């Protein structure tokens, strides 16, 4: 039998030629970073392949970051993807391309782009309702603005880290409900937030809002995102301006960015809304559905704790982008915005521990131990897939992080 190569994938591989997510890798020494494209359990040196095949995109792909490709715009994204698909599927390219693969086990993956700005939204009605019931039990769970606009906050771009980076337990001010004064110390309610991240490619002009129809002209692709959160620090500090140090210490993203074009089959209509959005957010007559059917699995120390469905998100990525720019804010290449915690209607679909354990009142049992929030040494991993063409699956990679005790 002929020897299998990186181009010989098992049937149904979620990282087949229908996917081709982008990342940045280096060999084990961590130097000489380069753009890579994942195929199965291997990564293709995209710049080397482009050079070997005489592609006009060789200089664009022979970079230590996805930044130049992101900035090149939608037509170039299409052209490069078309070329990559040919390189890994056309038999005539096989002899040239095969030697340019590296096993994933032999490379180091890096943050794939320089994060320009970071905004985190709050787009799941189930999640927002759960937190409202927890913290405002005698009032309406959703605040009056929630169904009129995608609520969000501006986070720290400098603490976005790639999957596999340890997360140091934060310290800060905390105030118990019964206390009269705050105390300072290590967070005892460290939590996760299961999210999808949207990666912006093409910039926009200051003072010019991006309409709903501009989503695919500016957003390059999606990644998995975990916006770690210190639940005991957040309530005391967030009034009146919103989250700050309770969420600024780390935001983890997957090493692979899945281009929007790979997710065409996964597009779905968002849930029916019972409040009519203002015109700039009104997608009822949009030609293309704005939601994505992405199935996520969250594990804690290897045990599945949740499977949040992204298809149920109230606000779409296009609406978040439109709201983010409606006042005139400009987009920059490498901007990242998160969906906010993804939660479904059932307990096993809640995307945070504060919901899964109902703020600690209903602890999980993992390996015979109760778990309310994260303890030092815990490792959280999120994986996901979406429906692909002809019954295939499109893998979104994973985002993983281990909690480390404060220094």
């Amino acid at each position: 039998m002929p020897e299998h190569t990186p181009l010989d994938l098992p049937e149904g591989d979620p990282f087949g030629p229908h996917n081709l997510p982008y990342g940045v890798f280096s060999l084990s020494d961590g130097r000489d970073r380069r753009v890579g494209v994942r195929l199965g359990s291997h990564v293709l040196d995209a710049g080397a392949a482009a050079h070997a095949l005489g592609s006009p995109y060789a200089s664009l792909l022979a970079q230590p970051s996805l930044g130049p490709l992101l900035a090149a715009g939608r037509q170039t994204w299409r052209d490069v993807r078309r070329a990559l698909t040919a390189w890994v599927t056309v038999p005539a390219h096989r002899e040239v391309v095969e030697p340019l693969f590296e096993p994933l086990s032999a490379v180091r993956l890096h943050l794939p782009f320089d994060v320009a700005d970071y905004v985190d939204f709050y787009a799941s009605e189930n999640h927002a309702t759960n937190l409202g019931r927890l913290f405002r039990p005698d009032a309406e769970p959703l605040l009056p603005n929630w169904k009129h606009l995608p609520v969000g906050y501006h986070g720290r771009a400098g603490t976005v880290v790639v999957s596999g980076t340890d997360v140091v337990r934060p310290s800060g001010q905390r105030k118990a409900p019964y206390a009269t004064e705050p105390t300072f110390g290590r967070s005892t309610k460290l939590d996760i937030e299961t999210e999808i991240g949207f990666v912006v490619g093409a910039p926009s002009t200051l003072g010019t809002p991006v309409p709903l129809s501009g989503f695919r002209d500016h957003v390059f692709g999606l990644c998995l995102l975990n916006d770690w959160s210190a639940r005991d620090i957040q309530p005391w500090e967030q009034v009146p301006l919103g989250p700050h140090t309770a969420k600024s210490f780390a935001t983890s993203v997957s090493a692979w960015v899945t281009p929007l074009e790979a997710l065409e089959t996964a597009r779905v209509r968002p849930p029916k809304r019972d409040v009519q959005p203002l015109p700039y957010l009104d997608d009822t007559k949009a030609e293309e559905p704005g939601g994505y059917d992405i199935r996520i699995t969250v594990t804690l120390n290897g045990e599945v704790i949740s499977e949040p469905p992204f298809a149920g998100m109230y606000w779409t990525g296009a609406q978040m982008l439109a709201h983010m720019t409606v006042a005139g804010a400009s987009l920059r290449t490498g901007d990242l915005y998160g969906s906010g915690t993804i939660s479904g209607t059932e307990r096993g679909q809640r995307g945070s521990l504060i919901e899964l354990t109902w703020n600690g009142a209903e602890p999980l049992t993992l390996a015979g131990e109760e778990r309310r929030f994260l303890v030092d040494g815990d490792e959280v991993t999120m994986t996901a897939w979406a429906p692909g063409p002809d019954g295939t699956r499109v893998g979104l990679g994973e985002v993983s992080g281990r909690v480390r005790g404060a220094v």
Side-chain angles (χ1 to χ4, degrees), residues 126-318:
N126 295 314
H127 174 67
T129 298
N130 285 337
L131 292 199
R133 287 172 176 159
L134 276 170
F135 297 122
R136 298 183 301 277
D138 299 323
E140 286 295 318
L142 295 180
L143 293 173
N145 65 347
W146 198 90
K147 288 195 173 181
H148 291 275
L149 56 83
V151 174
Y153 80 96
H154 201 110
R156 286 187 60 85
T159 49
V160 176
V161 297
V162 73
S163 175
T165 305
D166 284 352
V167 174
V168 177
R169 182 178 297 274
S171 296
Q173 288 195 30
R174 306 162 302 179
K175 181 181 173 298
Y178 53 81
T180 57
E181 298 291 332
T183 60
F184 182 88
R186 300 167 74 242
S187 172
T188 59
K189 290 187 174 183
L190 184 58
D191 200 357
I192 60 172
E193 292 193 351
T194 307
E195 306 192 24
I196 292 293
F198 297 83
V199 180
V200 172
S204 67
T205 304
L206 181 66
T208 304
V210 175
L212 293 174
S213 60
F215 172 72
R216 279 145 63 84
D217 292 325
H218 292 279
V219 173
F220 175 79
L222 308 183
C223 63
L224 284 172
L225 187 151
N226 183 356
D227 199 28
W228 306 82
S229 181
R231 301 296 185 186
D232 45 351
I233 296 173
Q234 186 174 342
W236 170 239
E237 73 169 4
Q238 74 176 7
V239 179
L241 295 181
H244 186 34
T245 63
K247 295 173 72 67
S248 65
F249 57 95
T251 299
S252 299
V253 294
S254 51
W256 301 106
V257 180
T258 304
L260 291 186
E261 282 195 69
L263 294 165
E264 285 303 292
T265 310
R267 296 176 73 91
V268 292
R269 295 283 176 191
K272 186 176 181 180
R273 304 188 181 98
D274 50 13
V275 173
Q276 177 66 29
L278 290 172
Y280 77 98
L281 293 172
D282 186 1
D283 61 356
T284 54
K285 296 180 181 179
E287 293 183 5
E288 300 174 330
Y292 286 93
D293 180 10
I294 300 174
R295 328 285 178 88
I296 305 170
T297 298
V298 185
T299 64
L300 175 54
N301 299 332
E303 292 193 44
V304 175
I305 60 171
S306 182
E307 294 182 310
F310 190 63
M313 298 295 276
Y314 189 92
W315 296 106
T316 70

Side-chain angles (χ1 to χ4, degrees), residues 7 44-58 61 80 82-101:
L7 294 172
L44 172 67
D45 186 332
H51 177 76
L53 293 167
S55 169
Y57 306 110
L61 295 173
V80 170
R82 191 177 300 116
L84 283 163
T85 302
W87 298 346
V88 300
T89 59
V90 175
H93 298 317
R94 190 176 186 112
E95 185 176 351
V96 173
V97 171
E98 276 182 351
L100 303 178
F101 281 94

